Amino acid sequence: MKVKTLGQFIIERQADFPYAKGELSRLLRDIGIASKIVNRAVTKAGLIEILGETGETNVHGEQVKKLDVYANEQFIAAFKAGGEVCAIASEENDDIIPIYSDISKNAKYVVAIDPLDGSSNIDVNVSVGTIFSIYRRKSNVGAPGQLSDFLQTGLEQVAAGYVVYGSSCMLVYTTGRGVNGFTLDPSIGEFCLSHPDIKIPEQGAIYSINEGNYLKFPEGVKKYIKYCQEEDKATNRPYSSRYIGSFVADFHRNLMKGGIFIYPSTAKAPKGKLRLLYECHPLAFIVEQAGGMASDGFNRILEKRVESLHQTTPLFIGSKAMVEKAMEFMKEYSSEKV
Ligand code: AHM
Ligand code: MG
């Protein structure tokens, strides 16, 4: 069987953009490399105690870091070394990280990233992920990037993707021409095209939501959950409830099988929990490219403008027919306060 590696695929696709100079291709390649380094650390996470790496220093005399901090550092280092990025916004950093160096002085792009999402699942050997989003800068080339470079709508994303560190490691991304998935073949250390042109089923049979918060959900969500549990053969109901608690892993499963993921407003998080810039926008871009939908319950996620780096939003994302149905319930039973 002839395999196509991520590197080959990126180069082939570059030819689709006649004026592209290869910067985006290099940036995507750098993300692929950093993900492999993070994957190596994630797969060894269970051995940390055995290898004596939970103390202050490891066997190499280096300070031991938590995996999410480690992942953040790996991606930042990759972007700094690559020279294509003039600023980074990360879940791990309160403010943007401007970049300006000899190799990056002509950089056109900014990257928003959640380096290790679902980090509460690391200790228990459950899938975690990375989410990234790439924008063209708004400020002039020739200076470090600025906060304003990130304050765009999701529609302006140039590329977005995620990596799921699961039973295998997969990288899925879009540049606005469909969605493609690559699985890491550990024997050759390469991401290989395994899921070309991913499409999400229009109607699935899975709903994913933290039902522990049920009492504080908006009325529209409560009613929709009951709808999911009712019996109806035409729409595959009752749906199965599946919730890992790692957004990337929950999203990935629903993308493959069809389903809806909801993180609505709750009493604890009146504006939702998930972050617009580096969690919701990128996965909304992917889901739409795969034929699905992403909404805050009333409005399209991609049309929302980022107003602050760590701003959150309620999120309804997944199969088109399911998101549309949930929005019908929101319209009927909840008022728009987002
Ligand atoms: P994190 O970025 O701190 O890991 O939080 C985000 C995670 C998502 O991966 C997941 O969908 C969500 O939080 C789960 O939240 P909850 O435990 O409230 O259901
Ligand atoms: Mg996160």
Side-chain angles (χ1 to χ4, degrees):
M1 192 186 72
K2 170 116 181 57
V3 295
K4 185 172 287 176
T5 67
L6 176 65
Q8 290 167 332
F9 184 86
I10 289 171
I11 290 167
E12 260 179 46
R13 282 296 167 105
Q14 196 187 313
D16 291 352
F17 304 95
Y19 303 109
K21 296 203 199 87
E23 288 117 319
L24 181 62
S25 301
R26 284 196 289 276
L27 177 48
L28 288 167
R29 187 205 52 197
D30 291 345
I31 290 173
I33 294 168
S35 329
K36 285 195 256 183
I37 295 172
V38 172
N39 181 58
R40 188 181 57 191
V42 169
T43 52
K44 283 200 305 192
L47 289 170
I48 284 176
E49 290 214 2
I50 298 168
L51 299 178
E53 294 185 84
T54 47
E56 287 295 288
T57 52
N58 66 14
V59 283
H60 309 293
E62 299 156 343
Q63 192 83 24
V64 173
K65 306 202 167 87
K66 286 176 64 190
L67 261 185
D68 42 6
V69 177
Y70 178 80
N72 194 36
E73 288 180 1
Q74 290 307 316
F75 281 104
I76 291 171
F79 297 138
K80 284 187 172 165
E84 316 299 347
V85 172
C86 66
I88 305 162
S90 166
E91 180 179 331
E92 295 287 333
N93 300 84
D94 290 344
D95 302 313
I96 67 157
I97 303 162
I99 302 178
Y100 192 67
S101 65
D102 271 353
I103 55 164
S104 74
K105 53 179 187 280
N106 294 318
K108 303 201 282 235
Y109 295 107
V110 295
V111 179
I113 189 159
D114 184 351
L116 209 61
D117 182 63
S119 36
S120 65
N121 278 323
I122 297 170
D123 294 349
V124 287
N125 202 3
V126 171
S127 300
V128 288
T130 295
I131 313 174
F132 62 89
S133 167
I134 302 172
Y135 286 87
R136 212 163 268 120
R137 72 188 300 175
K138 291 278 179 200
S139 56
N140 293 332
V141 173
Q146 302 169 8
L147 174 63
S148 57
D149 292 320
F150 293 93
L151 308 184
Q152 307 194 36
T153 71
L155 294 168
E156 291 158 285
Q157 290 174 99
V158 174
Y162 64 86
V163 184
V164 53
Y165 308 100
S167 44
S168 55
C169 177
M170 254 191 96
L171 187 152
V172 176
Y173 82 97
T174 184
T175 53
R177 300 175 58 114
V179 181
N180 291 283
F182 302 80
T183 302
L184 182 63
D185 180 343
S187 65
I188 56 169
E190 293 277 4
F191 282 108
C192 300
L193 181 62
S194 52
H195 296 66
D197 198 19
I198 296 172
K199 294 289 173 212
I200 184 169
E202 161 121 15
Q203 169 73 59
I206 292 173
Y207 73 104
S208 311
I209 186 166
N210 183 346
E211 255 175 287
N213 297 323
Y214 183 87
L215 293 178
K216 304 290 181 193
F217 283 158
E219 200 50 33
V221 173
K222 287 184 179 172
K223 289 274 198 307
Y224 178 68
I225 291 175
K226 288 297 152 215
Y227 166 87
C228 293
Q229 297 167 348
E230 281 159 18
E231 200 164 327
D232 175 50
K233 287 214 166 57
T235 46
N236 297 327
R237 285 178 293 147
Y239 301 147
S240 289
S241 164
R242 294 282 182 277
Y243 192 77
I244 298 168
S246 275
F247 183 28
V248 172
D250 277 311
F251 175 83
H252 179 71
R253 181 203 52 237
N254 291 3
L255 181 68
M256 295 294 133
K257 296 191 165 185
I260 184 169
F261 174 97
I262 304 177
Y263 208 110
S265 56
T266 61
K268 213 165 98 190
K271 292 196 161 182
K273 176 183 180 190
L274 298 178
R275 267 54 66 100
L276 182 60
L277 174 62
Y278 45 78
E279 293 179 326
C280 301
H281 270 337
L283 298 195
F285 190 16
I286 295 221
V287 88
E288 284 203 5
Q289 284 292 316
M293 234 177 134
S295 161
D296 65 7
F298 303 95
N299 304 298
R300 187 179 175 201
I301 288 287
L302 288 181
E303 286 175 9
K304 289 171 82 105
R305 183 171 293 281
V306 175
E307 270 145 19
S308 65
L309 280 188
H310 303 285
Q311 149 190 4
T312 61
T313 175
L315 179 68
F316 298 65
I317 191 167
S319 293
K320 188 161 176 286
M322 300 174 87
V323 174
E324 274 169 355
K325 192 54 152 183
M327 288 173 74
E328 275 174 34
F329 278 93
M330 291 302 284
K331 203 168 164 197
E332 190 170 348
Y333 297 103
S334 295
S335 61
E336 182 173 2
K337 279 197 248 83
V338 286

